[in-house]
Amino acid sequence: MSNYTQIKLYALLLAALLFLTAQPASATKRVALVLGNATYQNAPLLPNPANDAGAIAATLRAAGFDVVDSRLNLAAMDMKRALRDFADQARDADIALVYYAGHGIEIDGTNYLIPTDARLERDTDIYDEAFSLDRVLMAIEPARQLRVVIVDACRNNPFADTMKRTVASRSISRGLARVEPTVSNTLIAFAAKAGLTALDGNSQNSPYAAALVKYIAKPGLDLRRAFGFVRDDVLQATGNRQEPYVYGSLGGEDVALVPAPKAVEPTPAAANPQSEVRRDYELALQLNNKAALGAFLTQHPDGYYASLAKLQLNQIEAEEARVAATEKARQAQQQQARLASEGALRAEQEKAAADLKAAEDARIAAERTKLAAQQQAADAERNRTTSEGSISAALTRNKAAVDNTTVSPTPAAVAAQSDTDTKVAALSAGPQQADPARADIPQADLARSVQSELSRVGCFTSAVDGEWNAASQRSLSLFNRHAGTKFDTKLASLDALDAIKLKSSRVCPLVCERGYKANGDQCSKITCAEGSFLNDDNECERRRGKKPVANRNTGERPARADRPARERFAPAAEAPAPRRQATAKGSSGSIYCDQHICRQVNRGCRLEYRGGGGPGGNTGNVEVCN
């Protein structure tokens, strides 16, 4: 093949490719089948289905549906033919919709649509004379994107009184039954909730059909929201007696039967000559790393945004230097601690201490440099945002003048541009280098940082508000005492902030109120065991019982005040101890008892009373023998 032939072939292929890419994308194909059954031969006539079907068909045609097949008053054979023809239409469609208005019946949980010639003398006739909702779903299943079935048939069963039941347990309910589609991106909308009936209303269309016409074909309206608006209108029109319901689910994107019109992009009033540079800078600023900012500076090495990028790059490099200096100081501190624990030579320990001091000084300098660079970058970015906002406002106010290229720029625009040029000239000279010995940090921000670090090490318990008050001064004084430092407590300083940041754990001891004790970094309540109490030293102490008091006469009973109430009112006398009885020979018949034994008085003896007496008492009766 010659070179000329190859070039010609390539040209033809390129032309064909350009022709194909120039063709508009194929639009979404939408097909609909609208059925309305009103004149039933063996059931009462319905007033609205024909009007409702006509209104829905007109709405879909006006919305630009490719096919709208509308049929009224179909017998069983005609209804079967309509479903079969529509299944052919749905095979190459993206969206397929079926609307049915008429009678419907639910038997054993299955919903059926009733043709106009159905008799339904027995419950089993439903399988021969009606069409299940599954048959309708099967007809629209081939659609590629969306399948919708709208059933306006939730009316009372007109055959309920005459239909014979072949099985007593067969369920025939009012309204239609709940259904869950098995194919994704399929919605089934009922005019009323499962088990309830719909109303025909008093107008030309039913409340449900009137609401559908209002919302179903609204351009750009998501189908789920459209059915939601339909529900609200029907509830309001029927006094909350009829609530439409939708079964099935869709994905996260909006799905509308009628796409929203394409918005016309407004022509910009005036193009900013640095808009592309600004867009590149803002992208690099979002990434916020050295690689992105370096790439931006390579592409745009000079100018206003290049100076801003250099400030941002200085901030990142200062942060990296601070991290490296902090790590070096940490390693030096660990080295010093290791040498001290191992008992190294004094010279080695002194060298380690000197290294630690140098590392600390470098870390403090890096911290100051980082804070200064951060402040400079923040100020520059804030000034940029303010100046660009002023320019944008000026351009908006003078839109008419900018559109006319023969008109000179307005004074406001010239002033705004001059202000921008001044900032560009100031920044183009190069970013100012941060002075390590000085950092322009607002005193309130510095105080807030010191308060936050003091709180971390347990020396500050008040609110971190940036006010260096008496509480903050006491906290820094407490840190000085426990950390061995001598910082001035009257003002917050960078040196104090750096020293506090070096402490990785608590410095000030945790002080708890009475009744609480320190438990790590928290105060926990002290709970004393039963029989103990919390003493003045904030410790649990066992409660001591009362010591027994010895009585002068151990045989006496306790005082009346010391006895319990029950014992206090008991009889005072004690029961006498049982005594043994002895029988003496030749007794006189009298009985004599002392505190040990009872016996008969000896013959020839008598008893005399000499005072006292009583069981266990003093003398009483004594035996006298002459």
Side-chain angles (χ1 to χ4, degrees):
M1 183 181 296
S2 63
N3 294 335
Y4 175 77
T5 305
Q6 291 181 351
I7 295 174
K8 187 176 181 180
L9 179 60
Y10 291 153
L12 291 175
L13 291 176
L14 180 61
L17 180 61
L18 291 175
F19 175 78
L20 291 176
T21 56
Q23 298 301 315
S26 59
T28 302
K29 183 177 181 180
R30 297 168 295 169
V31 296
L33 174 63
V34 180
L35 305 176
N37 287 344
T39 57
Y40 283 88
Q41 301 175 13
N42 303 292
L45 301 180
L46 295 176
N48 287 334
N51 298 331
D52 295 341
I56 296 296
T59 301
L60 297 178
R61 288 192 183 100
F65 268 63
D66 298 275
V67 175
V68 179
D69 187 2
S70 178
R71 306 193 186 189
L72 302 177
N73 301 319
L74 299 179
M77 187 59 65
D78 297 332
M79 201 165 178
K80 183 182 298 183
R81 187 177 296 109
L83 289 174
R84 184 180 58 198
D85 294 343
F86 185 69
D88 295 336
Q89 297 285 348
R91 282 194 180 92
D92 59 346
D94 298 294
I95 297 176
L97 181 146
V98 175
Y99 172 84
Y100 172 80
H103 277 305
I105 296 178
E106 180 265 317
I107 295 181
D108 283 343
T110 302
N111 301 313
Y112 295 90
L113 310 183
I114 310 301
T116 57
D117 61 346
R119 293 181 177 275
L120 301 182
E121 297 177 353
R122 294 174 296 275
D123 53 6
T124 55
D125 292 345
I126 194 73
Y127 306 115
D128 301 324
E129 300 180 11
F131 294 88
S132 69
L133 190 58
D134 293 338
R135 176 67 181 86
V136 179
L137 293 173
M138 188 183 302
I140 65 173
E141 186 175 349
R144 291 185 287 265
Q145 294 181 6
L146 177 65
R147 292 153 286 275
V148 182
V149 177
I150 303 175
V151 183
D152 191 1
C154 307
R155 297 172 172 85
N156 286 322
N157 180 7
F159 304 96
D161 297 335
T162 59
M163 183 184 296
K164 299 178 181 178
R165 297 192 183 186
T166 58
V167 179
S169 60
R170 179 166 288 125
S171 170
I172 303 177
S173 304
R174 60 196 298 262
L176 298 180
R178 175 187 180 93
V179 60
E180 292 295 342
T182 58
V183 180
S184 61
N185 294 329
T186 301
L187 293 182
I188 303 176
F190 285 171
K193 199 172 181 179
L196 302 178
T197 57
L199 304 176
D200 282 317
N202 299 322
S203 62
Q204 183 178 1
N205 296 109
S206 67
Y208 185 61
L212 283 174
V213 170
K214 184 177 178 182
Y215 296 108
I216 195 68
K218 194 169 183 179
L221 181 61
D222 181 64
L223 198 57
R224 288 158 292 198
R225 295 194 64 197
F227 281 120
F229 292 144
V230 169
R231 168 191 173 274
D232 295 342
D233 282 11
V234 173
L235 283 173
Q236 183 178 2
T238 61
N240 295 328
R241 290 180 295 169
Q242 178 181 340
E243 180 183 4
Y245 221 78
V246 180
Y247 301 94
S249 63
L250 300 179
E253 297 182 356
D254 288 350
V255 179
L257 287 181
V258 181
K262 293 183 178 180
V264 179
E265 296 183 359
T267 304
N272 188 345
Q274 287 189 321
S275 59
E276 294 184 1
V277 181
R278 182 187 64 188
R279 189 162 50 248
D280 293 344
Y281 168 73
E282 290 176 347
L283 178 60
L285 189 62
Q286 290 178 0
L287 298 176
N288 196 26
N289 55 47
K290 292 179 65 175
L293 292 170
F296 172 81
L297 289 173
T298 301
Q299 188 175 3
H300 309 286
D302 301 318
Y304 175 62
Y305 291 102
S307 299
L308 293 177
K310 291 175 183 177
L311 290 179
Q312 298 293 336
L313 193 59
N314 286 344
Q315 178 184 355
I316 295 176
E317 292 175 347
E319 172 63 17
E320 292 178 351
R322 185 197 67 82
V323 172
T326 302
E327 177 62 20
K328 189 174 181 180
R330 187 186 65 82
Q331 294 177 358
Q333 187 178 20
Q334 291 179 350
Q335 176 70 5
Q336 184 189 34
R338 184 182 64 81
L339 292 176
S341 62
E342 293 177 354
L345 296 177
R346 182 176 180 180
E348 294 180 353
Q349 294 190 26
E350 290 178 353
K351 183 179 181 304
D355 293 342
L356 176 60
K357 185 177 184 305
E360 278 301 309
D361 293 341
R363 189 196 64 78
I364 292 174
E367 180 74 24
R368 291 175 176 174
T369 303
K370 177 252 181 182
L371 291 175
Q374 183 179 7
Q375 187 65 34
Q376 282 186 338
D379 291 342
E381 188 64 21
R382 183 165 53 250
N383 293 335
R384 178 186 74 87
T385 305
T386 303
S387 63
E388 289 179 354
S390 301
I391 295 173
S392 177
L395 291 175
T396 303
R397 287 194 303 268
N398 298 281
K399 179 176 181 298
V402 174
D403 288 338
N404 189 356
T405 58
T406 62
V407 179
S408 60
T410 61
V414 172
Q417 185 62 36
S418 176
D419 183 42
T420 304
D421 293 339
T422 302
K423 291 183 173 62
V424 171
L427 285 171
S428 297
Q432 299 178 1
Q433 297 298 325
D435 184 6
R438 179 182 179 275
D440 259 342
I441 305 174
Q443 184 62 29
D445 295 343
L446 182 58
R448 188 179 294 106
S449 300
V450 175
Q451 287 174 343
S452 178
E453 289 299 320
L454 286 173
S455 177
R456 181 182 61 82
V457 297
C459 300
F460 185 69
T461 57
S462 302
V464 179
D465 53 8
E467 295 184 5
W468 196 254
N469 48 24
S472 302
Q473 295 177 14
R474 288 194 300 269
S475 300
L476 185 55
S477 176
L478 193 62
F479 176 82
N480 285 336
R481 185 192 314 162
H482 292 281
T485 55
K486 296 180 180 180
F487 296 112
D488 185 7
T489 61
K490 294 181 181 179
L491 289 175
S493 63
L494 280 174
D495 294 336
L497 178 62
D498 296 331
I500 301 171
K501 283 184 176 181
L502 283 177
K503 305 300 180 182
S504 59
S505 59
R506 173 180 288 275
V507 173
C508 300
L510 183 62
V511 178
C512 301
E513 298 179 358
R514 187 177 185 280
Y516 291 83
K517 64 179 179 179
N519 185 9
D521 290 338
Q522 295 180 348
C523 292
S524 58
K525 189 175 182 180
I526 299 175
T527 304
C528 295
E530 186 177 358
S532 301
F533 68 98
L534 191 68
N535 59 17
D536 295 337
D537 295 331
N538 211 36
E539 297 178 350
C540 290
E541 181 180 343
R542 178 173 291 277
R543 197 180 303 277
R544 299 177 182 177
K546 294 183 179 180
K547 295 182 179 180
V549 180
N551 294 327
R552 182 176 300 175
N553 187 353
T554 57
E556 295 180 359
R557 301 184 64 194
R560 181 178 180 86
D562 296 336
R563 285 180 286 164
R566 182 176 298 178
E567 182 182 351
R568 190 181 306 164
F569 296 99
E574 295 182 357
R579 296 185 174 89
R580 295 175 298 167
Q581 294 185 359
T583 304
K585 294 182 179 180
S587 63
S588 62
S590 299
I591 300 299
Y592 166 76
C593 295
D594 57 14
Q595 55 184 341
H596 301 292
I597 191 171
C598 290
R599 60 180 176 82
Q600 292 182 349
V601 178
N602 294 327
R603 188 179 296 277
C605 298
R606 67 182 187 279
L607 295 176
E608 289 185 2
Y609 176 72
R610 298 184 179 179
N618 294 327
T619 305
N621 295 323
V622 297
E623 183 182 23
V624 179
C625 298
N626 295 330

